[in-house]
């Protein structure tokens, strides 16, 4: 099993920044992907960003490109999501997820991730 714990959410004003953390523990894989997804009230869960643990390739949703940066720290088994220039539309519960069988074609698909954290709330006021 893989355990994921998110932290770093909060209430900020539009234009502010937040950094989310996703710390992984438990079973490790030689190569897996960690993704961030978000879900706003009444909306479906959507892909935000992802990173491959080996190699560090990153992927972003168009809506966050240029504002969000995903990174990983191998020593801390932690993936970060740096969120800048936040907008009210970024308000959602943010989840991190991990899986070892993710391909480039499936990296944006939430249903392909087996392991999920509990989520952290991000609220951006206008």
């Amino acid at each position: 099993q893989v355990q994921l714990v998110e932290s770093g959410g909060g209430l900020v004003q539009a234009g502010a920044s937040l950094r989310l953390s996703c710390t992984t523990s438990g079973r490790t894989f030689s190569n897996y992907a960690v993704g961030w997804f978000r879900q706003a009230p009444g909306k479906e869960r959507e892909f935000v960003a992802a990173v491959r643990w080996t190699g560090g390739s990153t992927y972003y949703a168009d809506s966050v490109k240029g504002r969000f940066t995903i990174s990983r720290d191998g020593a801390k088994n932690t993936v970060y999501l740096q969120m800048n220039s936040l907008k009210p539309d970024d308000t959602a519960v943010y989840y991190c997820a991990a899986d070892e069988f993710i391909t480039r074609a499936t990296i944006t698909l939430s249903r392909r991730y087996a392991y999920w954290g509990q989520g952290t709330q991000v609220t951006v006021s206008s």
Side-chain angles (χ1 to χ4, degrees):
Q1 291 291 331
V2 176
Q3 290 79 44
L4 307 171
V5 178
E6 304 101 331
S7 62
L11 171 63
V12 297
Q13 291 188 329
S17 298
L18 278 175
R19 188 178 77 161
L20 305 182
S21 300
C22 173
T23 301
T24 67
S25 62
R27 181 184 172 190
T28 58
F29 309 109
S30 60
N31 182 31
Y32 64 102
V34 176
W36 283 98
F37 293 80
R38 65 187 182 186
Q39 188 165 20
K43 295 187 177 181
E44 293 186 353
R45 190 167 298 188
E46 66 175 359
F47 171 76
V48 176
V51 61
R52 286 210 168 275
W53 200 260
T54 301
S57 296
T58 57
Y59 309 82
Y60 296 94
D62 287 343
S63 59
V64 306
K65 279 181 182 176
R67 299 188 299 124
F68 291 10
T69 302
I70 190 170
S71 62
R72 75 209 191 288
D73 183 333
K76 296 182 178 180
N77 289 328
T78 299
V79 172
Y80 301 101
L81 185 68
Q82 177 66 42
M83 306 186 295
N84 298 330
S85 303
L86 282 163
K87 306 174 181 180
D89 284 348
D90 295 318
T91 296
V93 177
Y94 283 70
Y95 300 90
C96 68
D99 199 278
E100 64 174 325
F101 298 113
I102 298 294
T103 67
R104 185 170 183 175
T106 62
I107 202 161
T108 65
L109 302 179
S110 61
R111 65 181 183 271
R112 302 306 290 263
Y113 289 77
Y115 304 101
W116 289 83
Q118 81 288 350
T120 185
Q121 176 71 46
V122 172
T123 303
V124 185
S125 63
S126 58

